[in-house]
Amino acid sequence: MATYPTIEQHGLIGDLQTTALVSQDGAVDWFCAPRIDSPSIFAALLDPKAGGHCKIAPEGEDHTTRQLYLPGTPVLITRFLSDAGVAEVVDFMPVTGTEVTDVHRLVRLVRVVRGQMRLRIDCQPRFNYGRDEHELQLSPAGAVFRSERQNLTVHTANRDGPLLGQDDVWTDGTGGFQALATLHAGDMAGVILETGTDGPPQALPAGQIQRMFEETRDYWRAWIGRSRYTGRWREMVERSAMTLKLLTYAPTGALVAAPTAGLPEQIGGERNWDYRYTWVRDASLSVGALLGLGYTDEAQAYLRWLDARVRDAGERGEPLQIMYRVDGSPELDEEVLGHLDGYRDSRPVRVGNGAAGQLQLDVFGEALDAMWQADQAGLVVSTAGWRHTRTVLDWLVEHWDQPEDGIWETRGGRQDFTYGRLMAWVAFDRAIRIARHRGRPGDVTRWATARDAIYEQVLSRAYNEQRQAFVQHYASDVLDAALLAMPAVGFIAPNDPQWHSTLAAMDTELVADSLVYRYDPEASPDGLRGSEGTFTMCTFWYVDALVRSGRLGEARLTFEKMLTYSNQLGLYAEEIALNGDQIGNFPQAFSHLALINTAMLLDAQLTAAAH
């Protein structure tokens, strides 16, 4: 098996249209352009040989590494420490803005801060997930890689002559180049990787690189300075906020679930999905986090994107699709990249996502709840948007009472999932509130009839008397952590005996030393082989439920424990393995928006209890 860094040994950088992952060993091993959902240029994360990478690291000497973010920014600093010296690689992407562009720059600055260090750069792009051939042209100022669909230009930074200083530069017969340089304290060099141009490469002066750095730093510090959160765990909340911003495609306001594809939920297993798309559920849940932090512009941008999806669905007389591309396109055809080994031999590697065609009734509830929260914050849905929303609700009135695929996108057949019914109830409830609050037209009587029917059905069919708990779907005895949302959305009081017994059952069966499983795949077959780790978002939902149930001390301890599972940069993947490793796509928007929402609730309750 090839050597892979662990998933958590990565930092995320981005320019608000695409992102890259940089490992602790100095390698850019995931980078897609021109968009976050475009084919990869570097994908060593999924196959070190066939995927491609750009690595800068010490040559031939023992060293240790550390990673940190420049405070208040997503500018990533990877430090190499040895007896001979200390060097830093500073990685960042200048912000592109809201206009769609193919031009994206990834800046990799190298500076030695003590002693000296001999460094190697190894640049090996592999276009279109490693499927497209390319040509390499080296020049004194850098290099150009040309493929049929895309080019990558490598500019040099602050040096006359090629690349890092030309102790030695060579091609290696694999379509890439390598270079060696010995740098001393005070020296600065590096490369700028640029897409969307055809060269020629340039030796960029130090002043230009410094301006790129300062503009990027200042943009992010000004942005995070707008956050109005001043409570406990501020550093983690702000890091999560910046992560959500990096995962947002600025031209449309769409938030992707994660910037990666194919990272496994079980090492060596088949639960390997492409998360570089916008789930209506995930993005809608982010609205509460954004509004709570004071980022109304970001919330409004997403709501405009959502309004367009509701309009499209209403005009077609169809339900909302559960996910879309960042530009709103519904085509997400799934394919297997059989030529890639997969992270630590986790196959198959999938791009696209076949779950896009599933029926998941809960997305209506998340979407309407986001509209309601926005309405409460003064972001009123437009006249046209409300008209399209009414059309979609008319569809839901006719179709809520049917089996569906569920929040967890299982591939084991449709069921009457309780969470789907719960969120359909939320959809009608929030629509009624908006109509009454704003005096908007709508068949409120019909919506109320459907809402009340769902309520009665869930109480009569979803509560398992033997388990003394609400269960995953009707006629089952399987617990489901998604139902931790029941008191949060107002369906049941947090002091209701049926809720207390449900939470007690989850305490016993789904919670493992503060970590929370979604459900038991063995008890509820989901059509896939293997198991999975605990779900990070569910742990934060559990803390939320503890707070609402008055178990404040347990909630704080569980939350504090969960903070220890982040990586050294404060980032979370989708899941936590039994050994504490992060697994699944990384970093995960769901995890970070749940952290923000839970931190705000827990902080407010702790402050109230102290007075």
Side-chain angles (χ1 to χ4, degrees):
M1 182 186 295
T3 301
Y4 292 81
T6 61
I7 291 172
E8 64 261 30
Q9 289 177 326
H10 289 87
L12 178 73
I13 60 174
D15 64 6
L16 305 186
Q17 293 191 21
T18 190
T19 60
L21 291 183
V22 184
S23 68
Q24 277 190 354
D25 63 2
V28 179
D29 55 17
W30 184 257
F31 175 53
C32 302
R35 291 194 327 207
I36 200 167
D37 60 354
S38 298
S40 64
I41 297 173
F42 300 128
L45 197 57
L46 298 178
D47 191 318
K49 294 182 179 179
H53 63 265
C54 178
K55 184 174 182 178
I56 301 176
E59 170 72 8
E61 58 183 292
D62 292 335
H63 65 276
T64 58
T65 63
R66 300 286 188 273
Q67 262 187 339
L68 71 154
Y69 279 121
L70 184 70
T73 79
V75 174
L76 185 65
I77 303 172
T78 305
R79 290 168 52 82
F80 302 110
L81 301 92
S82 72
D83 291 338
V86 176
E88 296 178 344
V89 179
V90 181
D91 286 299
F92 65 94
M93 297 180 69
V95 174
T96 53
T98 58
E99 296 298 321
V100 175
T101 179
D102 290 343
V103 179
H104 301 275
R105 292 171 295 176
L106 198 166
V107 181
R108 312 208 70 198
L109 287 182
V110 183
R111 58 193 182 197
V112 173
V113 296
R114 177 177 64 79
Q116 67 177 33
M117 190 167 288
R118 186 168 173 81
L119 295 153
R120 176 193 294 263
I121 179 171
D122 181 12
C123 191
Q124 305 284 342
R126 299 290 184 267
F127 297 97
N128 189 21
Y129 306 112
R131 295 182 293 192
D132 290 355
E133 295 182 355
H134 67 268
E135 296 179 350
L136 165 62
Q137 180 181 355
L138 280 172
S139 76
V144 181
F145 297 90
R146 293 186 176 90
S147 71
E148 181 179 352
R149 310 183 204 189
Q150 196 171 29
N151 300 329
L152 179 69
T153 301
V154 182
H155 306 287
T156 56
N158 198 35
R159 278 277 181 160
D160 295 328
L163 306 169
L164 284 175
Q166 197 180 333
D167 283 4
D168 198 7
V169 180
W170 68 95
T171 58
D172 52 17
T174 63
F177 70 81
Q178 299 187 46
L180 283 171
T182 300
L183 301 180
H184 301 83
D187 286 349
M188 185 176 73
V191 293
I192 297 91
L193 311 177
E194 186 174 44
T195 67
T197 62
D198 193 24
Q202 304 174 49
L204 300 177
Q208 184 175 348
I209 306 303
Q210 185 66 21
R211 283 194 299 275
M212 287 184 193
F213 169 79
E214 291 175 355
E215 289 171 359
T216 304
R217 177 200 63 196
D218 294 347
Y219 170 87
W220 283 101
R221 286 184 172 170
W223 185 84
I224 200 62
R226 289 166 42 206
S227 170
R228 64 187 183 200
Y229 184 79
T230 58
R232 301 166 180 84
W233 315 292
R234 181 175 176 179
E235 185 175 353
M236 290 295 291
V237 168
E238 291 185 347
R239 180 55 55 195
S240 291
M242 281 186 277
T243 302
L244 293 183
K245 181 70 169 175
L246 286 170
L247 298 183
T248 301
Y249 182 66
T252 65
L255 174 77
V256 301
T260 55
L263 293 181
E265 297 175 20
Q266 179 187 30
I267 302 301
E270 66 171 331
R271 299 167 185 263
N272 318 313
W273 315 109
D274 188 348
Y275 276 15
R276 298 171 297 156
Y277 308 114
T278 300
W279 270 252
V280 171
R281 173 190 310 112
D282 304 33
S284 295
L285 289 172
S286 75
V287 169
L290 293 169
L291 292 175
L293 296 175
Y295 291 111
T296 55
D297 290 345
E298 284 76 6
Q300 193 161 33
Y302 166 69
L303 289 167
R304 285 194 294 267
W305 180 92
L306 176 62
D307 178 72
R309 306 290 77 73
V310 172
R311 179 198 63 209
D312 293 344
E315 290 176 349
R316 295 193 307 267
E318 298 176 356
L320 277 173
Q321 191 164 293
I322 67 167
M323 71 180 91
Y324 302 83
R325 292 187 180 273
V326 291
D327 62 359
S329 169
E331 288 79 27
L332 285 82
D333 294 341
E334 186 172 295
E335 62 177 316
V336 171
L337 302 180
H339 65 288
L340 297 180
D341 288 344
Y343 179 81
R344 293 176 60 185
D345 289 336
S346 301
R347 296 185 180 92
V349 174
R350 300 179 179 92
V351 293
N353 200 308
Q358 290 188 350
L359 175 64
Q360 297 179 18
L361 293 173
D362 67 280
V363 299
F364 297 91
E366 283 103 6
L368 265 296
D369 193 53
M371 290 182 189
W372 167 245
Q373 291 187 61
D375 182 273
Q376 293 296 97
L379 304 179
V380 183
V381 64
S382 68
T383 301
W386 180 247
R387 183 172 65 252
H388 299 311
T389 300
R390 287 162 52 197
T391 302
V392 170
L393 285 165
D394 288 341
W395 182 94
L396 187 60
V397 167
E398 299 292 337
H399 295 90
W400 67 263
D401 192 13
Q402 64 174 304
E404 41 119 7
D405 295 292
I407 179 178
W408 305 129
E409 295 171 9
T410 61
R411 303 194 178 191
R414 293 183 173 180
Q415 300 285 350
D416 292 310
F417 283 106
T418 304
Y419 184 76
R421 298 295 202 279
L422 168 71
M423 297 310 292
W425 177 90
V426 170
F428 292 123
D429 179 75
R430 300 322 190 247
I432 293 167
R433 295 188 192 199
I434 294 172
R436 289 174 173 166
H437 182 231
R438 296 293 175 184
R440 292 295 176 85
D443 197 343
V444 173
T445 300
R446 192 175 183 220
W447 297 344
T449 299
R451 179 197 61 185
D452 295 347
I454 296 170
Y455 183 84
E456 296 296 343
Q457 187 186 90
V458 168
L459 289 180
S460 63
R461 298 184 62 189
Y463 189 79
N464 186 301
E465 292 291 346
Q466 184 175 359
R467 297 298 311 272
Q468 288 290 289
F470 289 99
V471 290
Q472 186 178 67
H473 56 82
Y474 299 165
S476 77
D477 60 0
V478 177
L479 301 180
D480 190 332
L483 301 183
L484 288 164
M486 293 181 80
V489 300
F491 184 89
I492 194 168
N495 60 354
D496 189 291
Q498 286 187 310
W499 175 247
H500 273 301
S501 62
T502 298
L503 189 57
M506 291 185 184
D507 287 337
T508 301
E509 190 168 306
L510 297 183
V511 181
D513 186 31
S514 81
L515 299 175
V516 180
Y517 290 94
R518 294 190 292 185
Y519 58 93
D520 181 358
E522 293 185 4
S524 179
D526 54 16
L528 299 165
R529 296 186 301 273
S531 61
E532 61 182 19
T534 58
F535 211 71
T536 298
M537 177 194 67
C538 291
T539 299
F540 291 124
W541 281 5
Y542 177 62
V543 174
D544 185 294
L546 292 176
V547 172
R548 295 178 190 276
S549 297
R551 296 160 61 179
L552 204 56
E554 293 175 67
R556 181 169 190 172
L557 178 59
T558 301
F559 187 79
E560 295 277 7
K561 283 184 177 180
M562 192 62 208
L563 296 183
T564 70
Y565 286 99
S566 75
N567 77 348
Q568 74 282 0
L569 300 169
L571 302 180
Y572 289 92
E574 181 179 29
E575 301 180 19
I576 306 295
L578 290 174
N579 64 356
D581 286 348
Q582 301 210 37
I583 52 177
N585 284 303
F586 175 89
Q588 178 87 346
F590 236 160
S591 301
H592 287 279
L593 68 89
L595 184 153
I596 293 170
N597 286 328
T598 301
M600 289 192 292
L601 175 67
L602 179 57
D603 179 70
Q605 293 300 311
L606 288 170
T607 299
H611 290 84

